[in-house]
Amino acid sequence: MNYFPDEVLEHVFDFITSHKDRNSVSLVCKSWYKIERCSRQRVFIGNCYSISPERLIARFPGLKSLTLKGKPHFADFNLVPHDWGGFVYPWIKALAKSRIGLEELRLKRMVVSDESLELLSKSFVNFKSLVLVSCEGFTTDGLAAIAANCRFLRELDLQENEVDDHRGHWLSCFPESCTSLISLNFACLRGEVNLGALERLVSRSPNLKSLRLNRAVPLDTLQKLLMRAPQLVDLGIGSYVHDPFSEVYNKLKIAIQRCKSIRSLSGFLEVAPHCMSAIYPIFGNLTFLNLSYAPGLHGNKLMKLIQHCRKLQRLWILDCIGDKGLGVVALTCKELQELRVFPSDPFGAGNAAVTEEGLVLVSAGCPKLNSLLYFCQQMTNAALITVAKNCPNFIRFRLCILDPIKPDPVTNQPLDEGFGAIVQSCKGLKRLSLSGLLTDQVFLYIGMYAEQLEMLSIAFAADSDKGMLYVLNGCKKLRKLEIRDCPFGDAALLEDVGKYETMRSLWMSSCEVTLGGCKSVAEKMPSLNVEIIDECEQMEFNLDDKQKVDKMYLYRTLVGHRKDAPEYVLIL
Amino acid sequence: MVFEKDLNLDATELRLGLPGSSEESIRISNKRALPDMNDDSGVAAAKKCDQETAPPTKAQVVGWPPIRSYRKNSLQTKKTEAETGGMYVKVSMDGAPYLRKIDLKVYKGYPELFKAMEDMFKFKVGKYSEREGYNGSEFVPTYEDKDGDWMLVGDVPWEMFINACKRLRIVRGSEARGLGCVV
């Protein structure tokens, strides 16, 4: 039923860039499927075990950019053993053997070995971009291979990875001929870097737009780098400590004044608050500010800084900003869309410096707010109801009360009504994380109102299976559900196993599901992998169906059981 | 859980931290949490905790609060560094050809400090009395405080001393007598 030649359709498809839309296009008919798959350049795989590299290669011969996610989200919080899986090596090996001209690789929560980085660096002539988020398993030797061998490298972006740092030599591995860098982010490296090599690299990278330094880069080097790269748009400062009366500091002031394009600022991994005045000229133009690794900035100095940030759209901050500081944000940052408040002292004596008051202030002052991550001391229903009224546009709402089962401190009630107000008001809500004292009631509300919800994180909540059932029955667009420490058992798990095929994954840990229940799911749904993670190896000796399962992770897949699971993972 | 405000638990707290070190305060709130009063183990003031962990009565749940390991490790590194940053001050002795530097944070109190100074400069500190200062020695330990005044070492509590002390000077002989006599 094609009224157009293939080339025309292909040209039209070029304008369709979102993964969802391209996936939809491929389902229309066989010829659209064929044209789409041959012209597709960017592929996103949310669970690396849902498909195999061979099938990926077979379907998309024109692949240039691959995004892969490995471990389940709760792995970020140490709930998944390190060697559970998510190895990127088999992917790189398969791609290297094929004729795919890979140019970009973006990985999240995957195990990346030096060997895989080296293979990557040698196998794809046009490789341009490597982005690693929350990954592990590699050292600076792997980075050296990327630097040395990727002749046209444009982007090396390392975000919050645990890297074994063998010290500075990797930066020197960028050859003199490498002048193509656009983005370099090594803020998460803990070791020394060769400062001279860094300066030379920046000097010969005229297209450098994004530079995020690690702690080992001192202020005087920063000054030299900024002099050489006044075109920067995104800057991450490493160490920011110096004598404010020194020559170097004056030079820094001059360098900063030349940087008229900086819109995004982060870092301050080490900071002397009395040196901040040199940077003030930048703050007025910032759209993104990340001070969440700078506990040295707090109190009045921090508030004074925020007052300059009139154009801010995204703010990541530590809770030492306090409710008062959030009040300043509310007055100043009228364009704010995203706010993340991280705990500065997560295991301290329970003194998160922000409460419901700060959130209410921001919701009142920043009507464009649509994305929230908020670690706080306490929350009230009244506050949540007010926030829901002030900000009906939330897409992401993640609340973390440091005491996970804390009720509303004013009324001593659970927070059901508050979260209920959020889901009822925010019709576009896609992601929700709950905390505080919660009963089955909040899940009734979620099932009823959260029609667009795609991801839900639950911890220490609910009274019975009903809670989970409300969600599974109500949230039609649910893709990821992760639950810990809730009284949900087999009855909830087994009510509608077909639902799990419409989702990416389900995680349940420290709940009431039994081995028998999990086996039942696996039997009924061969298209799911049902994994039991049993680190204590209780299951090995006692395969009693009535045994409660400590950690269960199930996900849909087209390629059956994975072969790389460690011994303590039982795939049913 | 009930939180009480403004209760200074520092005074009775047992810690395994470095002597004289105090937790770097990055909180601007004064609220402090009491251990859970309903806890059966009855732990009250005696808390054996290192710098980062919560009092044991507030059981640390694995994976809570939900922050990335990388971020958690960063915070801990920073706290440790803040607390072990060292408090180096210059030490001079009258007649000695060059000065030395010592880290005040390393010592638990005056006796250890004096022992270290005695070893370093080969002298003996006299016996301290509140009334008369140091008796029995030609040498008297003094320090310059934040106001620029030269004070006798030993009059104030150790914590107060190490926070006030900018440099140390071991004063000798007749000069010493002026400081040594407390009227």
Side-chain angles (χ1 to χ4, degrees):
Chain A
M1 234 221 325
N2 258 353
Y3 300 121
F4 302 112
D6 288 359
E7 299 80 47
V8 174
L9 272 175
E10 200 178 303
H11 184 64
V12 171
F13 291 171
D14 273 348
F15 293 97
I16 302 170
T17 46
S18 99
H19 294 294
K20 266 195 184 143
D21 289 343
R22 289 206 70 125
N23 292 347
S24 303
V25 157
S26 70
L27 292 173
V28 167
C29 63
K30 274 195 188 146
S31 82
W32 279 38
Y33 174 88
K34 185 168 142 255
I35 297 166
E36 198 282 321
R37 79 171 186 87
C38 290
S39 62
R40 176 105 98 172
Q41 293 187 343
R42 312 181 65 86
V43 174
F44 169 86
I45 296 176
N47 174 7
C48 64
Y49 291 119
S50 61
I51 191 74
S52 69
E54 289 73 26
R55 285 182 64 162
L56 170 75
I57 293 164
R59 181 169 169 189
F60 299 113
L63 182 67
K64 288 209 163 59
S65 163
L66 177 62
T67 303
L68 278 173
K69 290 189 179 181
K71 296 182 190 170
H73 177 229
F74 276 177
D76 275 348
F77 319 133
N78 289 340
L79 287 176
V80 178
H82 288 282
D83 55 346
W84 166 87
F87 308 104
V88 77
Y89 186 77
W91 290 84
I92 298 180
K93 187 163 159 215
L95 287 161
K97 258 200 258 173
S98 76
R99 294 166 69 182
I100 301 270
L102 194 68
E103 292 184 12
E104 178 175 281
L105 188 61
R106 309 166 73 95
L107 306 176
K108 188 169 184 180
R109 278 190 292 271
M110 293 201 72
V111 178
V112 181
S113 61
D114 283 344
E115 207 191 340
S116 35
L117 289 177
E118 199 174 321
L119 183 59
L120 177 70
S121 73
K122 292 186 173 154
S123 309
F124 307 103
V125 172
N126 281 322
F127 193 75
K128 294 192 170 75
S129 170
L130 180 64
V131 180
L132 302 177
V133 180
S134 209
C135 295
E136 58 179 344
F138 61 102
T139 76
T140 44
D141 293 346
L143 298 178
I146 298 285
N149 303 325
C150 301
R151 294 171 57 213
F152 304 112
L153 195 69
R154 289 192 195 161
E155 180 175 24
L156 179 60
D157 185 359
L158 308 171
Q159 299 175 31
E160 298 191 328
N161 303 289
E162 291 289 358
V163 184
D164 208 353
D165 200 325
H166 295 164
R167 310 253 172 274
H169 116 101
W170 68 277
L171 259 180
S172 321
C173 293
F174 281 103
E176 287 303 311
S177 54
C178 173
T179 58
S180 46
L181 272 181
I182 298 180
S183 168
L184 178 63
N185 172 9
F186 60 93
C188 65
L189 295 185
R190 301 194 199 277
E192 301 300 313
V193 284
N194 183 330
L195 299 176
L198 176 60
E199 286 171 42
R200 288 190 295 277
L201 180 61
V202 169
S203 294
R204 63 176 186 276
S205 304
N207 298 320
L208 195 67
K209 291 278 188 294
S210 169
L211 179 63
R212 296 192 183 188
L213 310 167
N214 77 347
R215 219 163 151 199
V217 181
L219 192 133
D220 56 343
T221 305
L222 171 67
Q223 173 264 120
K224 290 184 198 154
L225 294 172
L226 291 179
M227 287 301 278
R228 287 170 170 76
Q231 76 283 3
L232 282 179
V233 170
D234 170 25
L235 175 64
I237 291 180
S239 174
Y240 194 74
V241 177
H242 218 278
D243 177 0
F245 301 108
S246 66
E247 182 60 29
V248 168
Y249 191 71
N250 281 331
K251 285 191 189 168
L252 178 69
K253 276 191 188 167
I254 298 168
I256 299 266
Q257 274 157 13
R258 293 175 71 222
C259 296
K260 302 206 185 295
S261 307
I262 297 181
R263 299 286 172 268
S264 164
L265 186 63
S266 60
F268 295 97
L269 308 176
E270 206 172 60
V271 58
H274 48 269
C275 293
M276 292 308 284
S277 57
I279 311 235
Y280 282 169
I282 296 187
F283 286 112
N285 286 325
L286 290 181
T287 55
F288 175 44
L289 178 61
N290 180 357
L291 296 177
S292 66
Y293 283 100
L297 287 172
H298 54 273
N300 288 332
K301 281 269 189 272
L302 179 56
M303 290 199 255
K304 200 165 163 215
L305 217 140
I306 299 280
Q307 279 168 342
H308 285 77
C309 302
R310 301 198 163 276
K311 296 193 186 159
L312 215 54
Q313 293 172 15
R314 296 166 60 212
L315 176 63
W316 294 20
I317 200 94
L318 287 171
D319 64 3
C320 44
I321 190 174
D323 287 333
K324 200 162 159 227
L326 288 176
V328 174
V329 172
L331 285 173
T332 314
C333 310
K334 296 301 181 189
E335 302 298 313
L336 198 69
Q337 294 174 28
E338 176 179 322
L339 175 67
R340 297 195 190 193
V341 180
F342 293 95
S344 51
D345 193 11
F347 307 109
N351 295 350
V354 296
T355 69
E356 76 278 10
E357 289 176 17
L359 183 59
V360 169
L361 288 171
V362 175
S363 75
C366 309
K368 296 188 182 179
L369 197 63
N370 62 35
S371 176
L372 181 76
L373 173 61
Y374 197 72
F375 285 82
C376 59
Q377 174 82 339
Q378 61 184 43
M379 186 52 58
T380 65
N381 282 311
L384 283 173
I385 291 168
T386 305
V387 169
K389 231 190 302 194
N390 292 339
C391 295
N393 298 319
F394 274 115
I395 300 175
R396 271 170 243 109
F397 191 89
R398 297 157 68 186
L399 189 72
C400 178
I401 304 169
L402 289 181
D403 174 356
I405 49 168
K406 198 170 156 77
D408 179 331
V410 173
T411 62
N412 248 340
Q413 293 298 303
L415 291 176
D416 300 333
E417 298 306 310
F419 279 107
I422 294 285
V423 293
Q424 197 175 354
S425 165
C426 304
K427 308 214 186 295
L429 193 69
K430 289 192 180 169
R431 183 168 180 184
L432 178 64
S433 300
L434 307 167
S435 63
L437 185 65
L438 296 162
T439 72
D440 287 342
Q441 184 71 6
V442 70
F443 299 104
L444 174 69
Y445 291 141
I446 293 173
M448 236 167 36
Y449 296 113
E451 289 174 11
Q452 302 300 319
L453 196 66
E454 294 179 8
M455 181 170 176
L456 180 63
S457 309
I458 311 171
F460 303 100
D463 308 310
S464 74
D465 284 335
K466 280 204 257 173
M468 185 166 166
L469 288 171
Y470 289 141
V471 171
L472 290 175
N473 291 334
C475 301
K476 302 292 176 210
K477 299 207 174 170
L478 196 64
R479 293 192 298 116
K480 288 180 279 184
L481 180 58
E482 46 185 27
I483 306 170
R484 65 165 293 181
D485 294 274
C486 294
F488 302 143
D490 293 342
L493 180 67
L494 292 169
E495 166 89 358
D496 177 12
V497 292
K499 169 90 175 166
Y500 306 132
E501 213 176 32
T502 71
M503 292 166 54
R504 184 188 296 174
S505 64
L506 168 68
W507 168 282
M508 292 180 78
S509 60
S510 304
C511 296
E512 304 287 314
V513 294
T514 68
L515 182 58
C518 297
K519 278 187 185 171
S520 208
V521 177
E523 263 164 40
K524 294 185 183 157
M525 300 293 297
S527 58
L528 302 177
N529 277 353
V530 181
E531 296 193 8
I532 312 290
I533 300 168
D534 179 29
E535 290 160 278
C536 312
E537 286 176 44
Q538 299 163 325
M539 300 265 154
E540 205 180 297
F541 302 110
N542 180 12
L543 285 168
D544 175 10
D545 279 6
K546 292 206 192 44
Q547 173 118 9
K548 293 229 177 87
V549 163
D550 188 37
K551 293 176 183 166
M552 179 206 72
Y553 180 54
L554 64 80
Y555 51 90
R556 68 181 174 192
T557 177
L558 292 174
V559 290
H561 290 186
R562 62 187 175 107
K563 309 279 184 304
D564 62 359
E567 274 180 12
Y568 55 81
V569 173
L570 184 63
I571 308 184
L572 299 174
Chain B
M1 262 184 226
V2 173
F3 291 92
E4 289 198 0
K5 304 184 189 195
D6 300 320
L7 208 68
N8 182 12
L9 295 172
D10 275 337
T12 52
E13 201 180 282
L14 284 177
R15 290 170 4 132
L16 288 178
L18 284 173
S21 68
S22 60
E23 215 175 299
E24 180 180 68
S25 179
I26 45 179
R27 300 184 280 276
I28 53 178
S29 147
N30 273 331
K31 298 188 189 134
R32 285 202 140 262
L34 254 194
D36 190 346
M37 291 309 226
N38 294 326
D39 185 36
D40 286 338
S41 68
V43 174
K47 288 181 271 173
K48 212 167 146 208
C49 49
D50 68 25
Q51 263 79 3
E52 293 89 40
T53 56
T57 48
K58 196 175 196 139
Q60 252 186 65
V61 181
V62 173
W64 195 270
I67 56 174
R68 271 190 189 157
S69 318
Y70 174 80
R71 181 175 288 280
K72 208 167 40 177
N73 294 339
S74 281
L75 282 175
Q76 285 175 349
T77 312
K78 278 198 204 345
K79 280 194 97 169
T80 314
E81 280 180 10
E83 277 141 7
T84 60
M87 222 181 226
Y88 281 93
V89 296
K90 288 183 188 171
V91 189
S92 62
M93 175 154 113
D94 295 349
Y98 45 78
L99 281 64
R100 302 297 299 271
K101 255 202 169 157
I102 57 171
D103 179 1
L104 292 178
K105 277 199 168 180
V106 166
Y107 308 106
K108 293 190 189 55
Y110 291 118
E112 282 92 350
L113 174 65
F114 291 154
K115 177 93 182 23
M117 284 167 72
E118 285 171 347
D119 287 342
M120 211 180 248
F121 288 97
K122 307 281 181 285
F123 76 106
K124 279 259 175 267
V125 173
K127 196 164 161 13
Y128 174 78
S129 77
E130 216 180 275
R131 212 165 65 84
E132 294 180 339
Y134 290 91
N135 263 335
S137 168
E138 216 188 321
F139 297 98
V140 177
T142 68
Y143 70 100
E144 188 185 3
D145 74 358
K146 286 194 168 150
D147 298 327
D149 296 321
W150 284 96
M151 317 284 292
L152 189 71
V153 172
D155 286 334
V156 300
W158 176 252
E159 285 281 346
M160 202 185 282
F161 163 69
I162 58 171
N163 282 313
C165 173
K166 275 174 54 185
R167 56 186 297 172
L168 285 160
R169 181 179 161 209
I170 302 162
V171 169
R172 155 201 272 222
S174 51
E175 257 185 271
R177 228 164 277 134
L179 274 174
C181 294
V182 177
V183 177

